[in-house]
């Protein structure tokens, strides 16, 4: 089932995983909103990721993975319950 966003939707998600070592922790805050017809025509694509990271907690080499994961979720849908 696909979801169509008609207005801006905010999200605030926490990832915690302990695997015996230091573990993983991430908090992702953002929003998703639909393109206007003009923006979609201008960009030439259906989805766009805009990085607005601030501070130095996330190394820049991880930004491309964040973008890829976001675009995969836009295209394939959310992985609910993961």
């Amino acid at each position: 089932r696909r979801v169509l966003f008609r207005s801006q939707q905010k999200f605030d998600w926490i990832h915690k995983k302990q695997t015996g070592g230091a573990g993983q922790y991430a908090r992702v805050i953002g929003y998703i909103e639909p393109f206007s017809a003009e923006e979609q025509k201008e960009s030439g694509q259906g989805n766009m990721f805009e990085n607005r990271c601030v501070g130095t907690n996330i190394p820049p080499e991880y930004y491309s993975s964040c973008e890829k994961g976001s675009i995969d979720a836009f295209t394939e849908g959310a992985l609910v319950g993961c």
Side-chain angles (χ1 to χ4, degrees), residues 4-44:
L4 177 62
F5 293 98
R6 298 186 191 279
S7 62
Q8 184 183 90
Q9 300 296 310
K10 295 181 180 185
F11 57 87
D12 185 348
W13 184 73
I14 295 177
H15 167 79
K16 293 183 197 175
K17 188 173 185 181
Q18 184 67 41
T19 57
Q24 301 174 355
Y25 177 84
R27 183 170 186 190
V28 182
I29 302 170
Y31 63 90
I32 185 169
E33 65 185 352
F35 272 153
S36 68
E38 184 179 302
E39 289 171 321
Q40 190 168 2
K41 186 176 181 183
E42 188 178 296
S43 74

Side-chain angles (χ1 to χ4, degrees), residues 25-66:
Y25 177 84
R27 183 170 186 190
V28 182
I29 302 170
Y31 63 90
I32 185 169
E33 65 185 352
F35 272 153
S36 68
E38 184 179 302
E39 289 171 321
Q40 190 168 2
K41 186 176 181 183
E42 188 178 296
S43 74
Q45 55 190 5
N47 305 306
M48 182 178 75
F49 176 83
E50 187 174 332
N51 180 5
R52 292 189 182 179
C53 289
V54 293
T56 58
N57 291 334
I58 301 173
E61 56 266 21
Y62 291 115
Y63 294 166
S64 62
S65 297
C66 294

